[in-house]
Amino acid sequence: DQQVKQNSPSLSVQEGRISILNCDYTNSMFDYFLWYKKYPAEGPTFLISISSIKDKNEDGRFTVFLNKSAKHLSLHIVPSQPGDSAVYFCAASEWIGGTSYGKLTFGQGTILTVHP
Amino acid sequence: EAGVTQSPTHLIKTRGQQATLRCSPISGHTSVYWYQQALGLGLQFLLWYDEGEERNRGNFPPRFSGRQFPNYSSELNVNALELEDSALYLCASSQGTVSNQPQHFGDGTRLSIL
């Protein structure tokens, strides 16, 4: 039962263009969503997050959009740079009645390649 | 500010042995999380410790256990190792049960079972 899905295993874009990574979820109790970037032989690095009460959060070149009705979120990277080439994971957590379950549920990841 | 640190980087064991993995959280973080990333699988939640107590546990057998010390560092113990336990074990920390705080990850311990 995959509650968080990244349906695109890989994405290739040209330097300077926009990269759009997508993520779908099924659990309606998820209310905090995060994106992580991972380089080989390193742990995931936190990029940006969004609470379920918002539909957009922006941090520099990174913007996350949340569509709760569609249970869909996306990460936009503009402009894309070769250094952005990595595996990107979306993740979600549940908070019920003010209590955290602690765990993050991750998607399978999307390999982003940005060509010079 | 130092990030999450894990040791050892690599650990090689044989079937039936026990493994101990260690994690030091970011200063000021009281929560520590453990995840397993086996080959071909995504990151799977193992355990969550906060203020010295186990708060939640993933769908793993009881031979996966751990603890959190008064300085908030943590150990993950895996008993009776099996070949399928070969994986990257990642530790993360966050500011406890404060809402909407991201988890920050270490670089992991690569556990190989021969």
Side-chain angles (χ1 to χ4, degrees):
Chain A
D1 175 25
Q2 187 122 22
Q3 297 187 46
V4 178
K5 293 183 182 180
Q6 294 175 254
N7 291 316
S8 297
S10 62
L11 175 67
S12 181
V13 299
Q14 209 65 34
E15 181 178 8
R17 306 294 292 269
I18 184 171
S19 295
I20 300 176
L21 297 107
N22 294 302
C23 181
D24 297 297
Y25 63 96
T26 57
N27 187 343
S28 58
M29 301 309 297
F30 287 147
D31 66 355
Y32 181 53
F33 303 88
L34 310 91
W35 284 94
Y36 287 86
K37 176 171 73 173
K38 187 178 186 302
Y39 294 118
E42 293 184 11
T45 300
F46 169 70
L47 274 176
I48 192 169
S49 63
I50 188 167
S51 163
S52 61
I53 62 173
K54 296 185 175 182
D55 55 17
K56 177 183 175 181
N57 189 26
E58 195 171 352
D59 184 0
R61 296 187 297 115
F62 302 93
T63 303
V64 56
F65 295 91
L66 176 62
N67 183 332
K68 283 191 67 178
S69 61
K71 293 189 175 67
H72 177 84
L73 68 155
S74 61
L75 174 68
H76 293 208
I77 306 174
V78 184
S80 302
Q81 300 172 353
D84 296 329
S85 297
V87 181
Y88 288 77
F89 292 94
C90 67
S93 70
E94 297 176 58
W95 281 77
I96 301 175
T99 300
S100 169
Y101 278 66
K103 64 179 280 189
L104 290 178
T105 302
F106 283 85
Q108 292 293 96
T110 296
I111 301 170
L112 173 65
T113 304
V114 180
H115 299 282
Chain B
E1 178 186 88
V4 176
T5 58
Q6 292 186 243
S7 63
T9 305
H10 293 93
L11 189 57
I12 300 174
K13 295 284 185 178
T14 57
R15 287 177 60 188
Q17 285 188 315
Q18 180 205 32
T20 298
L21 289 64
R22 296 180 175 84
C23 173
S24 292
I26 291 171
S27 177
H29 287 186
T30 62
S31 274
V32 170
Y33 312 81
W34 289 94
Y35 292 84
Q36 181 197 66
Q37 186 177 27
L39 192 63
L41 300 176
L43 283 89
Q44 304 290 321
F45 169 75
L46 262 168
L47 290 159
W48 171 32
Y49 291 96
D50 183 69
E51 297 287 358
E53 295 190 12
E54 183 179 304
R55 301 290 186 178
N56 197 8
R57 168 178 195 93
N59 189 24
F60 282 84
R63 56 192 186 81
F64 286 84
S65 65
R67 55 180 172 167
Q68 186 179 34
F69 300 99
N71 67 354
Y72 303 113
S73 66
S74 177
E75 274 183 2
L76 173 69
N77 296 294
V78 188
N79 294 319
L81 287 164
E82 301 179 2
L83 293 176
E84 65 196 37
D85 297 333
S86 293
L88 179 67
Y89 290 84
L90 291 161
C91 172
S93 73
S94 74
Q95 292 180 5
T97 55
V98 176
S99 64
N100 296 346
Q101 292 296 313
Q103 296 179 20
H104 297 272
F105 285 81
D107 287 337
T109 293
R110 172 74 61 185
L111 176 61
S112 299
I113 312 303
L114 304 179

